[in-house]
Amino acid sequence: MYEKKDLRVLKIIQKAREFGDLDLCNEILVNQLVNSTFNEIDFKEKEELIALLNSLIEVKDKALLSN
């Protein structure tokens, strides 16, 4: 009859739309991210992941500014 949805996912999608972030408007992706279990990582892996994410954000910002 009605599909039960996770309120957290809907709130994230709503905020993503308000801020114009199309990457987080995908309900299936956000649902998987919210409900996934993450393994613990060590400090070095955490630092590498932070550096990777920061570089991706910088590239996205540069691409948006070049339009």
Side-chain angles (χ1 to χ4, degrees), residues 16-64:
R17 286 186 185 132
E18 288 177 16
F19 290 106
D21 189 344
L22 299 177
D23 296 331
L24 289 176
C25 286
N26 184 336
E27 184 176 348
I28 295 171
L29 173 66
V30 174
N31 192 26
Q32 288 177 345
L33 288 172
V34 167
N35 293 319
S36 62
T37 57
F38 294 101
N39 296 331
E40 292 291 323
I41 58 175
D42 63 14
F43 184 75
K44 182 180 176 186
E45 290 174 327
K46 190 175 189 179
E47 291 294 320
E48 290 172 356
L49 183 59
I50 289 170
L52 174 68
L53 291 174
N54 285 333
S55 66
L56 287 174
I57 291 169
E58 288 175 16
V59 168
K60 181 180 177 183
D61 289 341
K62 287 179 184 177
L64 291 173

